[in-house]
């Protein structure tokens, strides 16, 4: 339902009392609440505002005896380390401290208070417990918001670990008691609300004109005025006079007490921001509902810098850029003062929002009618009944392929204004066979596309980029900004290298790779393509801000790395990255991996670049390669992120393959995979094993790559029998090997290995001769050798299950606190995880898993060569099931993957399947666990595919999410090799 206009909030014949709860996150919620409350009070009602915000936020706009402010904080929002950085773990811990631990007393107090004021309606923006308190008090409740905290916190759980999961469930459960949602523009997915009413923007009214404000400030009409609005300055940041172009001044909101340069003006803390925004020529700040809505309303160009780990942002950014009101600034340029190109671009924009800005009035009218007794809700099932499976676990679940991607539209070269306009028609799509069209435009100098459709599509996209550059025609709107960034990337007169690397489906082995297990991996059909150009710095097409940075330094042409990543919006990362390659040098040597990690960690929205640019540093460090030319790279990956199918490994392998090809480096696929693992372990900081990179680099189509991860002993490929097929089914729950659960399980496995080694060492003296020359125990010599080997155990998987059960299992605790382990055993000897002294680590399950998994994988490999039979398929499926439940015992399961595996079992054991020779036989969670994709094994038949589609639909019916199905295979990067291509000159094109 959408309501755009009302006749105002007419006075009701009934005097009403509203309890309006405001979240403790920043001032943005409080400022929009002001506008709704003002309209309710003007209609003659009492409003009790429950907030932690300062009184002046409300009293500067509302002076009425009907306004009551109650200073109580019932949630904490997102805890910010500084103006741009959210601390995800601290946010969850603070919420637990604020709203979870005292929950019983909060509910008791709120119910008593609501009854004491005789509230007619509870309104929440968007405090979860307020909805539950209202339900307990027997009072209707309504939420007014553009996002909900279950959506925001869902991503944080990936970093904090599954033990925080209950916070997300509880928040969503609280919201489900709300009668309906008044949804504001720029909204996020909010599945906990079953009924929705859309309203226009909620915007505060202006008190003074632009002319009045400028006169009071003493600013002439010809002076360009910037308003700096971050809600506080980023930590350690000092403004400098040269940050502003000549003829500009800047108003600073929330400035610290430090001295400001003469062209910066500090605003009072209680300044009425809308008036100053309307008097300015553009705004520089971070995206939030208040800043975006008011920038659109006042047609104020907005130069924004991304915030880290706040999922509300991309939806507001979409809205801002849709109405041509936004320019994205790289955080590095914000902090170093390279503002000029961004400000100049901003004032050339013509924001075009013409929609309603009376959302406060419309929302107040709906609230009044609801309090009187009008029913806006439908008769749908209660939110709680469908809630558990609808909650978003990880940002990716609700990201839809094809959603408008928000690439800063001003990314174009300094030398060449592309002059693109959204109103012009799209480019002509090449007709006929794409191979013919491609070879007409580009010459393949080396390599073979091998008939791969995705490679042909990627090459076709390069042709279209050249069309964009050479004409005024633009691609369809959802691709326009992204393609603009890429169209200015290459010098089309120079050679381009193309590499391809697939993702992988973890059939068997999974997290046992870091414990030395045998693993079986299948390269999937989806792959990452990288186009790369090595070019003289004098010929490189630099983006405007990169050129401005060089000019400010007084530098001539220098080697620069520029990267465009397609699909950035799917995970809310920055779409482009650039750096001087000299930044990788430290006193004449390549910088350390530790320094590189800190370099990329500085701006989490561009941390993705570590997977790509990190390959350059690893080649510099490990192979002594020196890069004297500039490098331009386009990364386009079809491997879905966060699904546990090695999207990161495919990017690393494709990137390093392209760099190696362009620089004449002959690196064996196995060695390349090991180098890529260094990128992920040491520069990205994800504690993964090597199987992902090996599968991507060394795999072969329609075969399983067999490898013993000690560290990377390739056993060749295993043929998949023609009667067997594997599928991947995505649960929608985002997976991350950088998450806390994966890292803690890995640490627990290494702790257990240290305990086993210690136990074996302690047993050795009993097997040695005593001082009188007699043995205390008379073991076989082989037994002593076994103990000696186990006392120096390199990999857990070198310990057989029977030896583990006979000698060591009883000594492995279920869990241990980090401090206790370090005291008793010292270091756990894992180079990529660190023991937290205060954390409790599971040990027994993480130790058991790889020991038994290695045995299961060996059995699986042997069974693949057995005669085709139902017993063979049943046994293979059983091994997958055992692996799945072993993951869960380690704490790496998830509700979504468990449900999918259960659906496979239901179909396998159904009467219909048994009567018609069942076709699906087993399933398991894959990769690093904690969500992602399951692997399904079945008979290679049409009936099997139909049953997989049935599982897909049943999962959607239960959860609201339609899973992605992964099927098919393709060659690894080593088998693909690389392409070297060059643009044909017009005179050389065929038929011309």
């Amino acid at each position: 339902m959408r309501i755009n206009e009302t006749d105002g909030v007419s006075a009701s014949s009934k005097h009403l009392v509203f309890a309006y709860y405001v979240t403790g996150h920043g001032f943005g919620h409080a400022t929009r609440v002001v506008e709704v409350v003002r309209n309710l009070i003007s209609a003659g009602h009492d409003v009790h505002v429950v907030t932690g915000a300062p009184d002046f936020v409300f009293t500067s706009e509302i002076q009425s005896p009907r306004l009551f402010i109650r200073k109580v904080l019932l949630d904490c929002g997102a805890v910010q380390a500084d103006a741009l950085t959210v601390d995800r773990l601290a946010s969850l811990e603070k919420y637990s401290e604020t709203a979870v631990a005292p929950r019983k007393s909060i509910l008791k107090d709120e119910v008593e208070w609501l009854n004491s004021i005789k509230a007619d309606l509870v309104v929440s923006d968007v405090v979860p417990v307020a909805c539950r308190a209202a339900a307990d008090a027997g009072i209707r409740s309504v939420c007014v918001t553009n996002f909900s905290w279950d959506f925001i916190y869902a991503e944080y759980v990936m970093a904090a670990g599954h033990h925080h999961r209950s916070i997300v469930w509880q928040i969503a459960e609280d919201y489900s008691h709300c009668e309906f949602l008044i949804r504001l523009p720029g909204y996020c997915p909010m599945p906990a609300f079953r009924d929705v009413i859309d309203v226009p923007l909620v915007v505060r009214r202006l008190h003074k004109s632009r002319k009045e404000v400028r006169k009071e400030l003493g600013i002439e009409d010809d002076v360009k005025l910037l308003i700096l609005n971050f809600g506080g300055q980023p930590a350690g940041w000092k403004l400098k006079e040269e940050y502003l172009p000549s003829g500009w001044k800047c108003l600073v909101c929330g400035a610290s007490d430090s001295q400001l340069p003469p062209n910066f003006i500090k605003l009072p803390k209680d300044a009425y921001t809308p008036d100053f925004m309307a008097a300015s020529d553009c705004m520089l700040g971070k995206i939030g509902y208040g800043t975006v809505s008011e920038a659109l309303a006042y047609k104020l160009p907005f130069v924004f810098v991304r915030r880290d780990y706040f999922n509300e942002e991309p939806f507001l950014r979409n809205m801002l850029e849709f109405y041509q009101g936004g320019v994205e600034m790289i955080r590095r340029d914000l902090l170093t003062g390279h503002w000029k190109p961004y400000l100049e671009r901003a004032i050339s924009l013509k924001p075009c929002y013409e929609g309603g800005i009376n959302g406060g009035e419309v929302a107040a009218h709906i609230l009044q009618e609801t309090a009187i007794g009008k029913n806006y809700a439908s008769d749908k099932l209660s939110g709680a009944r469908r809630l558990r499976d609808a909650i978003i676990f990880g940002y990716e679940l609700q990201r839809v392929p094809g959603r408008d991607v928000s690439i800063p539209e001003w990314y174009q070269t300094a030398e060449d204004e592309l002059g693109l306009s959204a109103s012009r028609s799209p480019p002509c799509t090449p007709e006929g066979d794409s191979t013919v069209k491609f070879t007409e435009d580009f010459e393949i100098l080396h390599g073979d596309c091998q008939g791969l459709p995705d490679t042909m599509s990627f090459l076709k996209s390069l042709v279209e980029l050249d069309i964009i550059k050479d004409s005024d025609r633009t691609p369809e709107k959802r691709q326009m900004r992204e393609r603009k960034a890429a169209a200015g990337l290459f010098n089309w007169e120079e050679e381009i290298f193309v590499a391809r690397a697939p993702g992988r489906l973890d059939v068997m082995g999974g997290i046992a790779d870091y414990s030395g297990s045998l693993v079986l991996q299948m390269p999937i059909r989806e792959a990452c393509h990288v186009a790369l150009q090595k070019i003289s710095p004098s010929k490189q097409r630099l983006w405007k801000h990169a050129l401005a940075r060089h000019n400010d330094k007084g530098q001539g042409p220098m080697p620069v790395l520029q990267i465009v990543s397609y699909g950035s919006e799917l995970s809310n990362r920055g779409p482009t990255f650039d750096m001087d390659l000299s930044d990788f040098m430290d006193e004449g040597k390549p910088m350390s991996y530790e320094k590189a990690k800190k370099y990329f960690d500085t701006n989490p929205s561009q941390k993705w670049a570590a997977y790509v640019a990190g390959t350059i540093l690893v080649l510099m460090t490990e192979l002594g390669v020196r890069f004297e030319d500039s490098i331009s790279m386009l990364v386009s990956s079809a491997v879905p992120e966060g699904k546990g199918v090695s999207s990161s490994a495919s990017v690393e392998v494709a990137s390093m393959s392209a760099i190696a090809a362009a620089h004449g480096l002959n690196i064996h696929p196995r060695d390349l995979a090991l180098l890529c693992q260094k990128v992920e372990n040491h520069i990205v900081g994800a504690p993964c094993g090597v199987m992902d990179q090996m599968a991507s680099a060394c795999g072969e189509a329609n075969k399983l790559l067999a490898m013993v991860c000690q560290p990377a002993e390739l056993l060749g490929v295993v043929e998949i029998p023609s009667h067997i097929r594997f599928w991947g089914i995505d649960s929608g729950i985002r997976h991350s090997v950088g998450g806390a659960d994966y890292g803690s399980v890995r640490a627990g496995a290494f702790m257990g290995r240290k305990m086993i080694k210690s136990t074996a060492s302690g047993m050795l003296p009993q097997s040695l001769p005593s001082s009188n020359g007699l043995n205390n125990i008379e073991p076989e010599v082989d037994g002593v050798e076994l103990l000696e080997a186990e006392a120096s155990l390199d990999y857990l998987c070198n310990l057989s299950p029977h030896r583990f059960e006979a000698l060591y299992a009883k000594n492995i605790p279920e869990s241990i606190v980090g401090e206790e382990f370090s005291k008793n055993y010292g270091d756990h000897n894992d180079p990529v995880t660190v023991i937290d002294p205060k954390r409790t680590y599971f040990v027994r399950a993480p130790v058991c898993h790889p020991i038994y998994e290695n045995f299961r994988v060996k059995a699986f490999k042997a069974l693949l060569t057995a005669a085709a039979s139902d017993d063979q398929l049943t046994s293979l499926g059983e091994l997958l099931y055992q692996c799945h439940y072993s993951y869960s015992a380690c704490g790496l399961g998830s509700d979504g993957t468990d449900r999918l595996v259960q659906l496979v079992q239901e179909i396998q054991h159904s009467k219909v399947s048994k009567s018609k020779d069942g076709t699906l036989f087993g399933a398991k969670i894959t990769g690093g666990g904690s969500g992602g994709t399951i692997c399904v094994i079945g008979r290679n038949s049409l009936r099997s595919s139909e049953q997989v589609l049935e599982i897909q639909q049943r999962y959607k019916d239960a959860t609201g999410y339609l899973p992605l199905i992964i099927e098919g295979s393709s060659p690894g990067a080593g088998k693909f090799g690389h392409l070297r291509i060059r643009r044909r000159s017009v005179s050389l094109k065929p038929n011309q």
Side-chain angles (χ1 to χ4, degrees):
M1 183 187 302
R2 177 178 293 277
I3 300 178
N4 290 317
E5 295 182 1
T6 69
D7 294 327
V9 186
S10 57
S12 169
S13 58
K14 182 180 179 182
H15 171 260
L16 301 171
V17 176
F18 294 87
Y20 211 133
Y21 288 80
V22 187
T23 188
H25 181 75
F27 285 180
H29 296 263
T31 56
R32 72 186 182 202
V33 165
V34 165
E35 194 61 20
V36 181
V37 169
R38 185 179 64 80
N39 280 279
L40 288 172
I41 288 176
S42 68
H45 305 306
D46 288 356
V47 182
H48 295 255
V49 177
V50 183
T51 180
D55 289 1
F56 74 79
V57 175
F58 301 93
T59 56
S60 61
E61 178 69 2
I62 305 170
Q63 295 87 36
S64 170
R66 295 187 179 278
L67 172 66
F68 304 88
I69 298 176
R70 176 172 171 244
K71 302 303 286 288
V72 177
L73 189 65
L74 298 178
D75 69 356
C76 61
V79 176
Q80 296 185 204
D82 58 41
L84 293 173
T85 306
V86 171
D87 187 326
R88 292 172 291 177
L89 181 57
S91 297
L92 292 172
E93 289 176 344
K94 184 67 174 177
Y95 185 84
S96 182
E97 175 188 320
T98 305
V100 177
R103 180 176 174 82
K104 287 185 178 179
S105 63
I106 287 174
L107 287 171
K108 178 177 178 292
D109 292 344
E110 294 311 300
V111 169
E112 290 177 356
W113 177 75
L114 289 171
N115 288 326
S116 72
I117 65 169
K118 296 181 170 54
D120 295 292
L121 185 70
V122 171
V123 188
S124 179
D125 183 356
V126 64
V127 180
V129 75
C131 303
R132 177 56 186 268
D136 289 354
I139 303 170
R140 301 167 76 187
S141 65
V142 175
C143 284
V144 184
T145 188
N146 64 304
F147 76 85
S148 55
W149 286 112
D150 53 334
F151 182 72
I152 303 300
Y153 286 161
E155 184 184 21
Y156 302 176
V157 171
M158 292 306 303
H162 72 278
H163 51 289
H164 286 284
R165 187 178 302 179
S166 60
I167 290 178
V168 179
W169 293 138
Q170 187 62 70
I171 290 173
E173 174 71 24
D174 286 345
Y175 285 145
S176 71
H177 293 285
C178 166
E179 191 161 309
F180 63 89
L181 166 68
I182 296 177
R183 188 168 62 181
L184 306 179
Y187 56 82
C188 305
M190 292 179 276
F193 300 100
R194 61 189 183 275
D195 286 288
V196 173
I197 300 174
D198 287 304
V199 299
L201 289 176
V202 176
V203 176
R204 290 177 289 177
R205 59 182 180 173
L206 297 178
H207 293 168
K208 298 176 183 178
S209 69
R210 172 186 174 94
K211 187 174 182 179
E212 287 174 319
V213 173
R214 282 184 165 245
K215 183 177 179 180
E216 290 178 4
L217 292 171
I219 296 175
E220 301 296 331
D221 291 341
D222 61 345
V223 173
K224 294 296 182 185
L225 189 59
L226 171 70
I227 182 167
L228 191 67
N229 193 0
F230 279 97
Q233 292 174 213
W237 188 30
K238 186 175 181 181
L239 298 169
K240 298 180 181 179
E241 185 174 357
E242 59 268 24
Y243 286 5
L244 294 177
S246 177
W248 282 72
K249 289 193 175 182
C250 178
L251 307 177
V252 183
C253 302
S256 62
D257 294 330
S258 59
Q259 187 80 17
L260 291 179
N263 51 352
F264 287 80
I265 302 169
K266 180 180 178 180
L267 293 178
K269 287 188 177 181
D270 60 352
Y272 190 65
T273 311
D275 288 346
F276 292 101
M277 289 175 63
S280 300
D281 295 288
C282 73
M283 177 166 59
L284 172 56
K286 61 184 179 183
I287 284 180
Y289 182 85
T291 52
V292 170
S293 61
E294 291 175 350
L296 290 175
Y298 310 141
K299 293 185 169 51
L300 180 67
F302 189 174
V303 179
F304 61 87
V305 181
R306 292 186 188 227
R307 271 190 296 178
D308 309 327
Y309 313 123
F310 204 74
N311 291 345
E312 172 196 26
E313 182 174 291
F315 299 91
L316 293 172
R317 189 171 68 246
N318 280 345
M319 181 169 67
L320 179 67
E321 295 185 338
F322 181 82
Y323 293 110
Q324 302 176 35
V327 173
E328 181 177 349
M329 178 184 282
I330 297 171
R331 183 181 302 194
R332 182 174 68 239
D333 287 342
L334 169 74
L335 299 178
T336 57
H338 296 291
W339 296 4
K340 182 178 179 180
Y342 301 94
L343 299 182
E344 290 177 347
R345 173 58 181 159
I347 60 174
S348 72
L349 297 179
K350 299 188 184 303
C352 60
Y353 180 77
E354 300 293 346
I357 58 173
N358 65 330
E361 179 184 314
V362 174
H365 174 77
I366 296 169
L367 295 174
Q368 175 182 275
E369 295 300 299
T370 302
I372 291 172
K374 183 172 180 177
N375 184 20
Y376 285 95
S378 68
D379 294 327
K380 294 178 184 178
L381 293 176
S382 101
R385 289 181 59 182
R386 63 180 176 79
L387 182 65
R388 189 167 186 83
D389 295 307
I391 301 307
I392 303 164
F393 245 150
Y395 182 61
E396 182 125 350
L397 186 148
Q398 289 289 344
R399 308 305 288 149
V400 180
R403 189 185 294 279
D404 183 30
V405 288
S406 295
I407 306 303
E409 62 178 28
W410 75 286
Y411 273 96
Q412 46 196 331
T413 59
E415 305 94 331
D416 177 27
E417 295 288 341
L418 298 181
L420 302 179
S421 168
S423 62
R424 295 181 182 133
S425 59
C428 298
T429 302
E431 297 179 355
D433 183 75
S434 59
T435 306
V436 174
K437 179 62 183 175
F438 172 75
T439 53
E440 285 180 4
D441 287 275
F442 288 86
E443 180 181 3
I444 299 180
L445 304 173
H446 172 87
D448 182 2
C449 296
Q450 302 181 23
L452 292 166
D454 61 338
T455 300
M456 297 310 306
S457 291
F458 180 69
L459 299 180
K460 177 180 171 183
S461 74
L462 293 180
V463 174
E464 292 172 346
L465 288 180
D466 200 17
I467 291 172
I468 295 172
K469 186 190 78 68
D470 287 341
S471 74
D472 285 340
R473 294 175 296 184
T474 69
E476 57 182 288
K477 185 171 184 177
R478 72 178 179 85
Q479 297 177 336
M480 181 179 65
R481 301 185 187 105
E482 192 166 55
R483 296 302 190 261
K484 266 186 172 182
L489 191 61
F490 298 122
N491 184 324
W492 296 101
E493 296 177 358
E494 304 289 332
E495 293 180 352
I496 295 173
F497 293 80
V498 176
R500 177 191 185 278
R504 65 96 188 95
L505 183 65
D506 167 34
V507 175
M508 287 293 286
I511 60 166
D513 62 343
Y514 54 68
S515 292
S517 178
L518 171 67
V519 298
L520 298 173
Q521 307 295 307
M522 184 180 80
I524 60 176
R525 181 176 57 192
E526 292 78 9
C528 173
H529 286 84
V530 171
L532 180 144
Q533 187 171 76
K534 181 185 74 168
I535 191 166
S536 167
S538 62
K539 293 183 178 180
Q540 188 180 29
R541 300 161 61 88
L542 287 180
W543 290 318
K544 282 186 175 180
H545 62 272
L547 182 62
R549 185 170 66 243
H550 281 199
N551 290 340
D552 287 348
K553 294 179 180 179
Q555 296 172 333
M558 293 181 61
V560 173
L561 172 65
Q562 293 188 144
I563 308 171
V564 174
S565 174
Y566 282 171
S568 60
E569 185 66 11
L570 295 177
S571 57
N572 192 26
R573 63 173 183 264
T576 63
F577 174 83
D578 64 274
M579 66 177 291
D580 297 341
L581 285 174
S582 60
D583 290 348
F584 273 147
M585 300 301 291
D586 184 12
E587 297 182 354
K589 299 183 298 184
M591 70 162 59
S592 69
Y593 292 151
E594 182 181 5
K595 285 186 178 180
K597 184 177 184 300
K598 290 179 180 177
Y599 179 92
F600 290 107
D601 283 349
T602 300
N603 185 359
S605 72
Q606 289 191 317
K607 187 176 179 179
W608 61 267
Y611 294 99
V612 183
T615 61
I616 293 175
L617 180 61
V618 167
L619 290 172
M620 293 170 65
T621 303
E622 305 299 329
L623 300 186
V625 181
R626 293 295 175 263
F627 296 92
E628 297 178 354
D629 288 320
S630 291
I631 298 174
S632 298
M633 301 178 73
L634 173 62
V635 180
S636 176
S637 182
V639 183
E641 295 181 36
K643 309 296 186 189
V645 289
S646 300
S647 58
S648 60
S650 65
V651 169
E652 292 156 357
V653 171
S655 298
M656 188 173 287
S657 298
I659 293 167
H663 292 83
L665 306 175
N666 186 16
I667 306 175
H668 189 277
R670 176 186 178 277
D671 297 329
L672 187 138
L674 289 168
L675 291 170
C676 289
Q677 186 196 17
K678 289 183 181 293
V679 176
E680 188 139 4
N681 284 174
H682 302 301
I683 299 177
V684 176
C688 68
V690 73
M691 73 174 189
D692 297 357
Q693 290 81 5
M694 283 290 177
S696 186
C698 306
E700 296 185 26
N702 300 307
K703 298 176 182 178
L704 301 180
L705 181 72
M707 179 180 69
V708 176
C709 302
Q710 299 191 14
E713 180 188 343
L714 292 175
L715 302 183
V717 293
V718 178
E719 296 284 345
I720 300 174
S722 59
H723 66 287
I724 292 177
R725 190 169 186 179
F726 297 100
W727 294 263
I729 307 179
D730 157 45
S731 67
I733 297 174
R734 188 173 176 85
H735 146 87
S736 170
V737 295
D741 297 332
Y742 178 92
S744 67
V745 170
R746 173 171 175 146
F750 278 81
M751 287 173 160
R753 188 191 66 161
K754 188 67 175 283
M755 293 175 182
I756 289 170
K757 292 171 68 174
S758 177
T759 301
S761 297
M763 295 170 67
L764 275 172
Q766 300 175 29
S767 304
L768 298 177
S770 63
S771 58
N772 61 10
L774 300 176
N775 286 342
N776 295 327
I777 301 175
E778 297 183 2
E780 297 292 334
V781 173
D782 290 345
V784 175
E785 291 178 352
L786 275 174
L787 284 173
E788 289 174 343
E790 289 156 4
S792 58
L793 189 67
D794 288 333
Y795 296 95
L796 274 174
C797 291
N798 290 340
L799 183 64
S800 63
H802 77 272
R803 289 286 293 179
F804 173 69
E805 290 294 346
L807 299 177
Y808 304 110
K810 60 181 178 293
N811 296 321
I812 303 296
E814 290 291 335
S815 62
I816 192 171
V817 177
E819 186 176 30
E820 180 184 352
F821 174 85
S822 298
K823 179 181 178 181
N824 294 333
Y825 299 97
D827 189 13
H828 68 321
N829 301 125
D830 178 15
V832 295
T833 59
V834 177
I835 300 296
D836 180 348
K838 300 191 180 304
R839 181 164 190 169
T840 298
Y841 292 87
F842 291 112
V843 179
R844 178 182 287 273
V847 167
C848 290
H849 176 80
I851 292 172
Y852 286 93
E853 181 72 358
N854 188 48
F855 176 80
R856 286 190 289 262
V857 183
K858 288 179 179 179
F860 192 95
K861 181 173 178 285
L863 277 168
L864 284 174
T865 61
S869 66
D870 281 355
D871 285 344
Q872 178 204 33
L873 284 165
T874 301
S875 298
L876 289 168
E878 178 61 28
L879 290 170
L880 261 66
Y881 285 139
Q882 289 182 19
C883 173
H884 177 79
Y885 292 111
S886 184
Y887 262 76
S888 295
C890 292
L892 292 176
S894 76
D895 297 281
T897 48
D898 285 349
R899 178 180 286 276
L900 285 170
V901 170
Q902 181 63 36
L903 289 172
V904 173
Q905 291 178 3
E906 289 175 7
I907 285 181
Q908 177 187 357
H909 301 304
S910 67
K911 291 182 180 179
V912 174
S913 290
K914 288 181 178 179
S915 64
K916 295 185 178 181
D917 295 328
T919 60
L920 299 184
F921 290 89
K924 63 176 277 285
I925 195 170
T926 63
S930 295
T933 297
I934 68 163
C935 172
V936 179
I937 187 172
R939 204 185 302 276
N940 188 8
S941 67
L942 177 61
R943 178 60 181 153
S944 296
S945 296
E946 290 173 346
Q947 290 183 330
V948 169
L949 291 173
E950 181 183 345
I951 290 170
Q952 180 191 45
Q953 187 58 48
R954 287 173 64 180
Y955 189 81
K956 180 180 184 295
D957 292 343
T959 68
Y961 175 74
L962 184 68
L964 171 71
I965 294 176
I966 296 169
E967 56 183 330
S969 184
S970 67
K975 286 292 182 182
F976 179 81
H978 71 272
L979 304 178
R980 181 164 57 92
I981 62 176
R982 182 170 56 201
R983 179 79 156 86
R984 292 182 186 272
S985 64
V986 175
S987 60
L988 295 179
K989 288 185 181 181
N991 303 322
Q992 290 190 1

